[in-house]
Amino acid sequence: MAVNPPQSGVGEPGSDEEIVRRVCAGEEALFEVLMRRHNQRVYRAARAILRNDVEAEDVMQDAYVRAYEHLRNFEGRSRFSTWLTRIAVYEALARRRRSQRLEPLAALQEEGLMATSSSSNPEQQLSDVEIRALLEKAVETLSDDFHAVFVLRAIEGMSGAETAECLGVSEDVVKTRLSRARRRLREALLESIEPSLPAVYEFHLSRCDRVVAAVLRRIETP
């Protein structure tokens, strides 16, 4: 399908619903605005289910194509972002089911690897990058149900109602899974950092030498 450019003199794109209306009216190029506006949310939704960056990007493309092809079916009963995220969730779930059906052994092995945690080097201070990696590893240990809810609610910041609609569960289920996910994350993080606790506030040799030298200078001064 040929993509027509936006009409000149129309001004900056407005709300999602306004852009949808204009795309359906013939300004197909404006669909790029919707993609760029919602890329992070769609990626996180797909990544929450598939746990794989490459597959998440593939699902993003599939979801956007499906949304574009069915854009006229968007009735505005929910927010466009919710409608789009729900499409991404369905596409991701379908891909995961196909993967589990075709490669059950590989899927089990991957889950086993994901559940394995390794302690960080006790002598190495955690930088911001390392802390983020530690958090991501802990999130990956969550079960599929808890993982999807936590990413959409706590990381992406979706409301309980939006998350429930996207995942096809009740808001009460979302609340319960989020609470349990947070509790399990606290346990996983504590387990990960516990081996490093003896190194906290460690009195390194360089500091020891510096203090001793300073004291010796002071007591040797007449």
Side-chain angles (χ1 to χ4, degrees):
M1 177 188 296
V3 177
N4 297 325
Q7 297 176 6
S8 59
V10 177
E12 291 298 321
S15 66
D16 289 346
E17 290 71 22
E18 172 63 16
I19 295 175
V20 169
R21 185 191 65 76
R22 291 173 61 180
V23 171
C24 291
E27 296 181 76
E28 290 92 347
L30 280 178
F31 191 72
E32 180 180 348
V33 175
L34 294 174
M35 288 191 290
R36 294 188 181 279
R37 185 176 288 180
H38 298 291
N39 265 341
Q40 179 166 281
R41 170 170 289 191
V42 173
Y43 168 75
R44 283 175 168 171
R47 178 65 173 75
I49 293 169
L50 295 170
R51 305 183 184 226
N52 181 283
D53 294 341
V54 175
E55 289 196 356
E57 289 188 17
D58 288 344
V59 162
M60 288 178 70
Q61 296 178 37
D62 294 341
Y64 280 133
V65 170
R66 184 174 294 274
Y68 181 78
E69 292 174 344
H70 295 84
L71 203 57
R72 295 182 184 277
N73 295 336
F74 174 66
E75 299 176 350
R77 287 181 292 184
S78 61
R79 295 171 59 184
F80 175 78
S81 59
T82 303
W83 182 78
L84 178 61
T85 304
R86 189 165 62 247
I87 293 175
V89 167
Y90 289 162
E91 291 289 336
L93 288 172
R95 177 173 288 242
R96 189 176 70 182
R97 284 193 295 269
R98 289 195 299 269
S99 176
Q100 290 174 342
R101 185 167 61 248
L102 295 174
E103 301 179 274
L105 180 58
L108 288 174
Q109 291 173 339
E110 185 178 1
E111 288 295 328
L113 288 173
M114 287 178 177
T116 302
S117 62
S118 59
S119 59
S120 57
N121 187 341
E123 297 179 356
Q124 183 178 8
Q125 293 185 346
L126 291 176
S127 64
D128 289 343
V129 173
E130 290 168 330
I131 291 174
R132 185 165 61 248
L134 190 65
L135 288 171
E136 289 177 352
K137 182 179 291 186
V139 171
E140 287 300 305
T141 66
L142 295 173
S143 66
D144 290 341
D145 290 340
F146 292 169
H147 186 270
V149 167
F150 183 81
V151 171
L152 295 181
R153 280 287 284 118
I155 297 179
E156 181 53 32
M158 293 175 63
S159 68
E162 287 180 309
T163 303
E165 184 175 352
C166 288
L167 298 179
V169 297
S170 68
E171 287 190 59
D172 286 340
V173 169
V174 169
K175 291 178 182 178
T176 299
R177 290 180 180 176
L178 180 61
S179 175
R180 292 178 179 175
R182 284 173 169 161
R183 183 173 66 250
R184 295 188 182 186
L185 278 178
R186 286 194 293 268
E187 295 170 353
L189 287 171
L190 180 59
E191 182 179 345
S192 296
I193 67 174
E194 199 164 15
S196 300
L197 292 179
V200 174
Y201 301 131
E202 192 172 25
F203 200 74
H204 296 286
L205 179 60
S206 59
R207 178 174 295 177
C208 179
D209 291 342
R210 185 169 63 251
V211 171
V212 170
V215 172
L216 290 177
R217 284 196 301 271
R218 293 178 64 179
I219 63 178
E220 290 173 357
T221 302

